[in-house]
Amino acid sequence: MSDATIRPEALPVGSIGRKASGWWGMLTILMTEGALFAYLLFSYYYFAVQYGRGFLPDELPKFRLSLPDTIILLISSVFVWWGERGAKRGANLQLVFGLLGTLILGVVFVGVQLLEWRDKPFTIGSSSYASLYFTITGFHMAHVIAGLIMLSAVMVWSLLRYFDAERNSPVSIAAVYWHFVDIVWLIVFFTIYVTPRLW
Amino acid sequence: MTVGTYDRVPALETGGHAAPAASQLTRLWESKPGISGWLSTVDHKELGKRYLATAFIFLALGGIEALMMRLQLAQPNQHLLTPEQYNQLFSMHGITMIFLYAQPILSGFSVYLFPLILGTRDMAFPRMNAFSYWVYLAAGLFMYASFLVGAAPNDGWFNYVPFALKPYNPGPNMDFYALGMILLGISTTAGAANFLVTMLRTRAAGMSINRLPILTWGTTTTSVGILFSMPAVSLAFFMLWLDRQFGTHFFDSTARGQPLLWQHLFWMFAHPWVYIIVLPAMGIVSDALPIFCRRPLVGYTVVVLATIATMVMGFGVWLHHMFATGLPFLALSFFSGASFVITIPSAVAVFAWIATIWTGRPVITTAFLFFAGFISMFVIGGVSGVMTASVPADRQLTDTYFVVAHIHYVLIGINLFPVMGGLYVWFPKMTGRMLNERLGRWNFWMVFIGFNLAFLPMHWTGLAGMPRRIYTYPDGMGWGTVNMVTTVGSFVLALGVLLLLINVAISRRHGAVAGPNPWDGPTLEWTTPSPPPPYNFATMPAVASRHPLWEDRLEEGMGKSSLQRGMVLANGKEMLAVTPLDGLPDAILKMPEDSYSPLVATILMTAGFTGLLLHWWWFAGACVFLLLACLVVWLWPERTLGQIAGARHV
């Protein structure tokens, strides 16, 4: 047994970047949440295969609101990435502004989604398509809101100066969740808005 | 290596459990006495024992339900139970055994054993560990509360639509089941995440992944399985609840919904679940059987690979539960083929165990008998499983007692037998006292004979055409005698299980004193006193082989493990984090104190689900809001946990 294993020279103590258990815990959450959306989309494609075009509503979902909304969400991911980079340099102000930008864009995204919901001619009980449309986008919106709550907490903590260049795990944890929510949206967007036009 | 702001050179001590730091560690790690300590503890040993006790209570409840059904079926044309009572009993029997006993009991073993066999002080997320337990208990109580209003789930554990939908099942029965399962899914998922991160990050130094005890491989593999499969059933039950309460159209075909979607989502979860409730039990055998064969397990690497392969393939065979639903021929062929192939990795493990016994010098103890019994029951359950992998055979056998016999050989044979054997092995570690061996033999033989008497003839009942889930049957079908035999067997089995409980009750006070290593086992848990102190290990062990306590005899390692001399880590509650693959020291983790947050979160969540059940929407909303507040408090950075900049808690 080498002595270095029994006694290393020096070890970081406490919550340091991606060595924190919370980071690993978040990765497990992403695994299971990713699976959740896979099953949601499985249900969508299953119906699509079973019923063909008859599954879709008469009026296909439009890009007028959804495309700008997608771009808004993508930009928000850039903001959180920029803020996290700041955190790792110990630049607290950059972190705060990065988070603020993400929060604003995230709230706008949710607002636009709600507009889109309001404009739908059907309700959740109209057809299997309507049920799935609201369930999938609803699940995604719930995840966006969860991300907004996480980022708000991280912002409060950064305003309280809880973080420096080494102690900043919550920033990375919330950021990776936000990126995940973004990627999921791209897949949801492709499924609901793009695929009906490919048939 | 640059020394960072928060780095520390860890202090070293010699003496293992007699190290000078021991008394200080006890103060740091022990829970407060009394009710406040009981409600707020995050000690994995306490929680593991609670998991085991709770799961055994559910086993007893599910067993009583089964005995009531067996009385009803003992003879033709009996009317002890009404058809509706019978429906509720067989549904709750399945739900209890499969969801509230079989998986939680294995979680109990793993929660108790993970930190001990991995050579660390607690799980990676101790508070989440307490949360998993409380939510499991709450979900069990939630589903059992349905009996109080006479509306228990009544559609079988796989709960097919359309019967589960509102028009056919207007009572709250299905809502109890749907919401209860979502609640239970949260507990199971949190537990799985905890096992995975614990296995990856918090082990003894030097415990590279090829030195992990197989039990951790089994539980970790199934944890990944849970993370990927659990959402399917939670989603399915959520959709069912929406269909019932909000008029959505997922499962009824009137508005282009599809009843078969339920079966797909359910079995995409439930087939992996079968492996989730057996692989950790197989891990128990792979770790404990070799102790009684006085040699290491034959084929460690292939057994690990077989475990993983079984789990992976387990995701690709769900359609074999749906052979009789009129699916396309191509799909049937593919899934039939996959179901045949999955027997190969299972067979690999069986041959590894047989080879271990064959080439070892077996010591016949009660535990050994349970493990040997497990192997033979597994073979029978496996063979009857392969038979139903064949589409034509399955079409004949599906929904008959043959399938009931198969599932019981699998679940009792591969889950209950290893669990009972495992209890004989680790009970001394948990309590410091041995279980009585004489009573143990009676326990084993009653269980073994009762079980085979009950379920071996049941294959024939199925072949004779008796459908499952009928509350009675007419005279003259030729099913009377065989049903009577099964009923007698089931009571013998129940008495056998009762003997175990009696043994536990007597031995925990009056059993022979065990000492640290009563079986001469090879892994780290046997280095600790029995029962282990609150901090498990005074100095952090560093291992050089798979069998740190057998190194002198085996000479398989690259050097000697260091069990007496190691890092103390006593500057507050601390644990070592290692790199996931090589097990090299990576960081010192600050661990949380006992906390009420898990219990409060559980109460709020359960109250919220009750609100959903009763349609108290505002109440449920308030619970969600309070739950979020509770989580923010729970996760608020703390100086003592080394989560706040500048605070020199190093």
Side-chain angles (χ1 to χ4, degrees), chain A residues 1 3-16 18-22 24-26 28-29 31-33 35-37 39-40 42-43 46-47 50-51 54-56 124-129 131-132 135 139 149 153 156-157 160-164 166-167 170, chain B residues 1 5-10 12 125 189 193 196-197 201 205-206 224 227-229 231-232 235 238-239 247-250 255-258 260-261 264-265 268 542-543 559-560 562 565-567 576 580 585-590 628 635-637 642-645 649-650:
Chain A
M1 185 93 255
D3 216 48
T5 313
I6 301 170
R7 175 154 82 180
E9 283 171 25
L11 289 172
V13 180
S15 178
I16 298 284
R18 292 178 183 180
K19 289 183 194 286
S21 297
W24 295 81
M26 179 50 79
T28 64
I29 291 178
M31 282 166 70
T32 195
E33 298 280 25
L36 172 67
F37 281 99
Y39 292 116
L40 275 166
F42 166 83
S43 307
Y46 179 74
F47 283 141
Q50 294 277 311
Y51 293 109
F55 167 61
L56 296 172
I124 193 165
S126 300
S127 65
S128 63
Y129 175 87
S131 302
L132 258 184
T135 306
F139 261 104
I149 294 171
V156 171
W157 296 337
L160 291 170
R161 303 224 156 245
Y162 280 3
F163 304 127
D164 65 15
E166 288 179 79
R167 285 241 193 278
Chain B
M1 182 179 164
T5 331
Y6 300 107
D7 284 8
R8 183 177 98 210
V9 181
L12 219 59
F125 303 104
T189 302
L196 182 54
V197 178
R201 287 292 284 173
V224 175
L227 291 175
F228 284 131
S229 68
L235 177 65
F238 182 67
M239 287 172 160
T248 54
H249 298 284
F250 294 109
R256 292 188 296 280
Q258 176 52 273
L260 273 189
L261 178 65
H264 279 295
L265 287 176
M268 279 173 165
V543 300
K560 275 195 71 64
S562 176
R565 175 170 163 272
M567 288 175 261
L576 180 69
D586 195 36
I588 295 169
L589 302 174
K590 292 285 189 177
L628 289 173
L635 297 170
W636 199 270
Q643 291 169 329
I644 294 180
H649 272 281
V650 297

Side-chain angles (χ1 to χ4, degrees), chain A residues 82-91 94-95 164-166 168 171:
Chain A
W82 180 72
E84 189 190 355
R85 252 174 57 119
K88 287 189 175 153
R89 289 193 295 113
Q94 182 178 334
L95 171 60
D164 65 15
E166 288 179 79
N168 49 37
V171 181

Side-chain angles (χ1 to χ4, degrees), chain B residues 600-634:
Chain B
V600 173
T602 305
I603 291 170
L604 289 170
M605 210 152 75
T606 314
F609 272 79
T610 311
L612 295 180
L613 181 76
L614 300 173
H615 298 188
W616 298 352
W617 307 122
W618 285 104
F619 177 75
C623 289
V624 170
F625 183 78
L626 290 172
L627 178 64
L628 289 173
C630 173
L631 292 179
V632 171
V633 171
W634 178 341

